[in-house]
């Protein structure tokens, strides 16, 4: 079973409900699933598939739920990177995890570009909130070109869904 089925079952059993509020705006479970499905479709169009490792370096933002869902929907492995890390730490995680893509935001893009400079496995940097620099792809571009119709990848019980290098800082 794919972990993302929990989100789908929630929608199927409870109907469309408010899932979260971010900066004064409400988002429903259906909206989050729609973003996850469309991004998953876009990731497939970029040739990402089951087993690929996709890093996510985002602060607490509404996009995080849809991004994680998209990665899991295609059977890829989510590699969260704490957004407060320095480039050297992020570079270690990117290299060690064999990440093939990074999803981040414009505020973190300079650090991410520095972190991935010597890592050949990274094929794309996807930026959530602005037109990215050369070589990057805007999340809006992917979502605009992608269909929400998608078959979620079936997963085995021992398949990896996420690789976590740190739980954060202790302050």
């Amino acid at each position: 079973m794919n972990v993302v089925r929990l989100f789908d079952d929630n929608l199927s059993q409870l109907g469309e409900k408010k899932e979260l509020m971010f900066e004064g705006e409400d988002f429903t479970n259906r909206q989050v699933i729609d973003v996850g499905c469309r991004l998953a479709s876009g990731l497939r169009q970029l040739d990402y598939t089951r087993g690929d490792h996709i890093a996510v370096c985002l602060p607490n933002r509404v996009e995080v739920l849809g991004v994680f869902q998209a990665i899991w929907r295609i059977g890829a492995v989510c590699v969260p990177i704490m957004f407060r890390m320095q480039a050297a730490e992020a570079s270690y995680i990117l290299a060690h995890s064999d990440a093939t893509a990074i999803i981040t935001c414009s505020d973190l893009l300079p650090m991410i570009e520095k972190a991935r400079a010597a890592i050949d496995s990274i094929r794309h940097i996807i930026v959530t909130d602005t037109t990215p620099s050369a070589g990057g792809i805007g999340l809006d571009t992917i979502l605009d070109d992608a269909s929400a119709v998608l078959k979620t990848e079936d997963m085995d019980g021992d398949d990896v869904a996420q690789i976590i290098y740190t739980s954060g800082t202790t302050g």
Side-chain angles (χ1 to χ4, degrees):
M1 177 182 104
N2 190 312
V3 69
V4 83
R5 230 174 115 204
L6 297 170
F7 296 96
D8 295 341
D9 289 349
N10 173 275
L11 177 61
S12 152
Q13 293 170 8
L14 302 176
E16 187 168 7
K17 303 278 187 196
K18 180 169 73 169
E19 185 165 289
L20 63 109
M21 176 186 273
F22 182 75
E23 295 184 351
E25 188 176 352
D26 293 339
F27 296 89
T28 68
N29 51 357
R30 183 177 307 280
Q31 289 173 302
V32 173
I33 288 171
D34 178 64
V35 168
C37 287
R38 290 186 338 189
L39 179 54
S41 178
L43 289 172
R44 281 204 176 132
Q45 289 174 6
L46 293 170
D47 292 324
Y48 291 99
T49 62
R50 181 179 178 161
D52 283 336
H53 295 186
I54 300 176
V56 178
C57 187
L58 290 169
N60 296 330
R61 302 172 62 117
V62 69
E63 295 93 344
V64 171
L65 285 176
V67 166
F68 276 40
Q69 278 191 35
I71 293 167
W72 293 329
R73 284 186 187 283
I74 65 170
V77 178
C78 183
V79 182
I81 296 176
M82 180 67 174
F83 67 94
R84 291 189 174 144
M85 286 190 170
Q86 300 298 312
E89 297 165 313
S91 183
Y92 171 82
I93 292 171
L94 293 171
H96 188 264
S97 70
D98 296 321
T100 55
I102 307 166
I103 302 174
T104 192
C105 62
S106 60
D107 291 345
L108 300 172
L109 191 56
M111 184 275 291
I112 288 297
E113 287 177 332
K114 184 176 177 183
R116 68 83 59 153
I119 301 171
D120 295 331
S121 64
I122 306 293
R123 299 190 327 251
H124 297 98
I125 297 176
I126 299 168
V127 183
T128 59
D129 59 346
T130 189
T131 303
S133 62
I137 301 171
L139 179 67
D140 287 343
T141 301
I142 293 173
L143 295 178
D144 289 345
D145 295 339
S147 165
V149 179
L150 172 81
K151 180 191 175 296
T152 297
E153 186 75 28
D154 290 327
M155 304 300 288
D156 297 327
D158 59 351
D159 284 336
V160 175
Q162 189 157 296
I163 299 173
I164 300 173
Y165 282 84
T166 179
S167 61
T169 62
T170 58

